[in-house]
Amino acid sequence: MKGYEAEKGKYIELTSEELEAVAVDSTRTIDIDEFVPEKEIDELYLGNPYYIVPDGEVGVQSVRRDREAIKQEGMVALGRVVFTSREHVISIKPRGKGLMGVTPPLPVRGAEEDDFFDEIPDEKVTKDVLDLAKHIVAQKAGHF
């Protein structure tokens, strides 16, 4: 059985026919909705990376053109793409000689940080505890 949680603990059951009726067909294209400055995108929305591979010479020219334009302007393209009959938001930015698309991780969509961090008290960390933590960080520092 498939369903949708309409509110906490209350589900709407969906039949296979209803799911097929709302399934989105893949066009193997990405629909760009807008361009935004890269620095405005919180890392919270960066999760699943995909290399965007052009199809044919026209696709290669489009990737080259779009990559250079958004790179020089410091922008990221925001759009929509269909994976496995579901539409996903995707951000697209230059990567090497091509483009990389990134979709948000599923648990983050629609969630606010207060939903997770609200119960953590806002207390001051003492200097000696902070110094110890910094020492540990320095001792374990490395490169990714």
Side-chain angles (χ1 to χ4, degrees):
M1 177 188 314
K2 302 268 183 181
Y4 172 77
E5 188 173 23
E7 54 185 79
K8 191 76 170 167
K10 294 191 180 185
Y11 296 87
I12 299 171
E13 294 178 31
L14 299 170
T15 66
S16 297
E17 293 80 23
E18 289 171 323
L19 288 172
E20 286 178 26
V22 296
V24 181
D25 291 329
S26 176
T27 60
R28 297 180 49 101
T29 62
I30 300 170
D31 296 318
I32 303 298
D33 296 321
E34 63 183 326
F35 296 91
V36 300
E38 182 175 13
K39 63 184 178 187
E40 289 182 7
I41 298 179
D42 191 314
E43 71 225 18
L44 183 69
Y45 297 104
L46 304 176
N48 305 309
Y50 300 90
Y51 292 117
I52 298 174
V53 180
D55 186 18
E57 182 57 30
V58 173
V60 170
Q61 291 173 8
S62 296
V63 164
R64 197 177 312 134
R65 176 199 64 219
D66 295 348
R67 179 196 67 225
E68 285 306 309
I70 61 178
K71 183 178 181 180
Q72 289 183 18
E73 295 298 315
M75 303 293 265
V76 172
L78 296 180
R80 294 168 281 115
V81 65
V82 176
F83 294 137
T84 62
S85 301
R86 293 187 63 200
E87 187 174 72
H88 299 266
V89 173
I90 190 167
S91 63
I92 301 164
K93 64 184 202 172
R95 176 106 183 163
K97 294 192 303 183
L99 294 169
M100 182 180 72
V102 181
T103 59
L106 286 174
V108 170
R109 295 179 186 160
E112 296 294 329
E113 64 183 60
D114 287 345
D115 296 340
F116 299 96
F117 304 143
D118 199 35
E119 294 182 21
I120 299 173
D122 190 16
E123 296 175 355
K124 186 96 169 146
V125 178
T126 62
K127 182 183 180 331
D128 57 332
V129 170
L130 186 58
D131 287 344
L132 179 59
K134 287 179 180 180
H135 174 74
I136 293 169
V137 169
Q139 291 297 313
K140 300 260 182 196
H143 296 282
F144 189 71

